[in-house]
Amino acid sequence: LRPRCGAPRSCPPGLLALMAPGLALMATFSLPSQAGDRRALPVEKPPGVKGRTLILLDVNTKSPVRIISENFLSLQLDPSIIHDGWLDFLSSRRLVTLARGLAPAFLRFAGKRTDFLQFHNVKNPAKSRGGPGPDYYLKNYEDDIVRSDIALDKQKGCKIAQHPDIMLELQREKAAQMHLVLLKEQFSNTYSNLTLTARSLDKLYNFADCSGLHLIFALNALRRNPNNSWNSSNALSLLKYSASKKYNISWELGNEPNNYRTLIGRSVNGSQLGKDYIQLRSLLQLIRTYSRANLYGPNIGRPRKNVITLLEGLMPFVAGRLALWLPDVQQLPGHTGGLGTWSSVLWLNTLGLLASQGIDVVVRHSFLDHGHNHLVDQNFNPLPDYWLSLLYKRLIGPKVLAIHVAGLQRKPRPGRVIRDKLRIYAHCTSYHNHNYVRGSITLYIINLHRSRKKIKLAGTLRDKIVHQYLLQPYGKDGLHSKLVQLNGQPLAMVDDGTLPELKPRPLRAGRTLVIPPLTMSFYVVKNVNALACRYR
């Protein structure tokens, strides 16, 4: 059965979906760190015949091959932001503006520290003990953070803060110190407990709500009774508090239960996990606010033999109790990446691959300051992957179209497949973009060659006006640059509350598309009147 997910096709993808009244697994994406990995970028010999090859491109505009969620590109925040203090700064106007740019999307609050998270329903534990907070400067600016949260965003009535520079400097010092602690925990695979206060939960929800993101909160699944059943007492306290505030939240239980043996020395098998989800479903049904809330999971990493066994044990138990959705097991393709525009090439290709495979939602780990994979840095500046994600959100709709390509290689040459280095994907243009009428389509193309490629639009795309959005590195660092340019203009925020206008370069009707080497580009083909794209 297809799970009931509220809005049409809003369900995240994965191996299993249990939502109201069942659940769903989503695909998470994280680029590996580049530390110690300085692999060479693709190098190609002089183009020769291949460089002169004209590629003919057409798109099947009659019907989509896949339809993904409008929340396809979604975000994740790691609970480590409680440890390093960044959660207190989620009310920053700049961060909220950046997050709003990527809406609609899910905001998944989860990660390895999910199962060490404890909720305490007190506003400020340090003050309730009668002493200052654990950090030497908390007493100096904690109240300032609270007061700054009172500033209201006129558009939505959200709590938006303008934090003084000195507060951000102190926070970056704290985060740098805590980063060493977090790395030590990661390498030793032993994690300390985290305390989430009511005030912190308020700030997390305020950020999601103000940004137009739907919060998915992963509950601690490692609180276990002597018989290994889930101890739900702390989760119930969190649920009751959230319901009292009327927070619109979806829920998840645990993070990567297939790795529990390495974390706590004992495993949770599939049937026990099924019982845990049934227990959580029962708790939600007891609370009016969440009686029909979506329940996602289990989040599974590395779908190999032990994971398949876990899921097989889970499925027989929940069958007949919860609505099930079991698409094919999908494994994210491996990547090497890191900072700079080069990681954006990998990110865009991953989005294209997973959309074409019918994955509904890809959750990007992480929005802010986690490892080398974040979209926004500690200075609240957007990195190349953010700008790519923003452009994707503005131009790409949920309907995936089939492409037809000819002329990729004039003469077959073993071992030299141009197709692998030129990636082309097509979607209906986003319905939310009012600059384009329905029926327009958007191509996105990755050229991994060190030579330019020429593409001639054919068939239904012939002789149409095209808007080009060409993303290239900006600055002397090339593909390792943290800055990008759009059609030759560097991308930067106008101010803390304003994103730049993403201006296209109009191309005359019938013009051949010239794709520069090692670049990413979006092309909106206007007024195609594609049957697949006329209606939602």
Side-chain angles (χ1 to χ4, degrees), residues 262-486:
T262 61
L263 290 176
I264 60 173
R266 60 179 178 175
S267 61
V268 176
N269 61 33
S271 59
Q272 180 58 59
L273 189 61
K275 294 176 184 177
D276 299 340
Y277 267 97
I278 295 292
Q279 184 179 349
L280 176 53
R281 178 78 270 166
S282 298
L283 287 181
L284 294 176
Q285 290 173 342
L286 290 174
I287 301 172
R288 178 177 299 178
T289 303
Y290 300 122
S291 61
R292 298 185 62 82
N294 288 348
L295 175 56
Y296 296 105
N299 176 53
I300 299 294
R302 300 179 181 176
R304 297 173 183 166
K305 182 177 180 181
N306 66 322
V307 173
I308 302 303
T309 303
L310 179 73
L311 290 174
E312 287 175 346
L314 172 68
M315 287 169 54
F317 186 86
V318 298
R321 295 175 173 84
L322 297 174
L324 293 180
W325 175 40
L326 187 64
D328 293 336
V329 173
Q330 301 278 356
Q331 185 169 14
L332 293 178
H335 294 283
T336 57
L339 298 175
T341 314
W342 175 235
S343 81
S344 299
V345 172
L346 305 175
W347 177 222
L348 182 59
N349 190 55
T350 297
L351 292 171
L353 282 173
L354 296 184
S356 64
Q357 293 172 12
I359 296 295
D360 267 355
V361 172
V362 179
V363 178
R364 175 59 189 258
H365 187 278
S366 178
F367 175 70
L368 171 69
D369 183 50
H370 183 80
H372 297 275
N373 309 318
H374 44 281
L375 301 180
V376 180
D377 68 16
Q378 290 189 354
N379 295 308
F380 301 168
N381 290 323
L383 296 171
D385 282 15
Y386 175 84
W387 294 118
L388 173 64
S389 301
L390 179 66
L391 200 55
Y392 191 98
K393 281 286 188 178
R394 295 280 177 88
L395 300 178
I396 301 299
K399 293 184 178 180
V400 185
L401 306 175
I403 63 170
H404 303 285
V405 180
L408 272 176
Q409 193 165 324
R410 185 169 294 172
K411 294 181 180 179
R413 298 176 60 187
R416 303 291 293 174
V417 183
I418 296 182
R419 193 185 308 271
D420 288 344
K421 291 186 178 180
L422 190 68
R423 310 294 174 89
I424 305 173
Y425 304 97
H427 288 238
C428 294
T429 304
S430 173
Y431 298 130
H432 299 293
N433 193 323
H434 300 300
N435 294 322
Y436 302 108
V437 299
R438 292 192 184 183
S440 301
I441 70 166
T442 301
L443 307 168
Y444 52 108
I445 303 173
I446 305 168
N447 182 14
L448 295 178
H449 293 272
R450 288 193 175 272
S451 61
R452 67 180 186 175
K453 296 299 170 186
K454 295 182 178 181
I455 296 179
K456 186 74 173 177
L457 300 183
T460 54
L461 309 187
R462 184 184 295 126
D463 298 329
K464 302 296 183 185
I465 295 175
V466 175
H467 279 184
Q468 173 184 274
Y469 297 82
L470 178 64
L471 280 175
Q472 294 174 291
Y474 180 72
K476 61 182 180 180
D477 293 329
L479 284 174
H480 297 290
S481 174
K482 295 184 182 181
L483 303 174
V484 293
Q485 55 186 327
L486 177 64

Side-chain angles (χ1 to χ4, degrees), residues 71-89:
N71 292 355
F72 174 73
L73 197 168
S74 286
L75 309 172
Q76 181 164 326
L77 277 175
D78 195 278
S80 63
I81 66 172
I82 299 173
H83 256 327
D84 62 24
W86 285 116
L87 189 146
D88 283 330
F89 291 82

Side-chain angles (χ1 to χ4, degrees), residues 34-75:
Q34 196 181 27
D37 185 1
R38 305 296 295 180
R39 300 187 186 184
L41 299 177
V43 177
E44 185 176 278
K45 294 179 181 179
V49 174
K50 292 184 294 180
R52 297 194 299 270
T53 301
L54 183 66
I55 300 162
L56 299 178
L57 173 63
D58 192 11
V59 173
N60 183 346
T61 59
K62 293 182 179 179
S63 61
V65 291
R66 309 282 188 191
I67 301 179
I68 56 179
S69 169
E70 289 195 345
N71 292 355
F72 174 73
L73 197 168
S74 286
L75 309 172

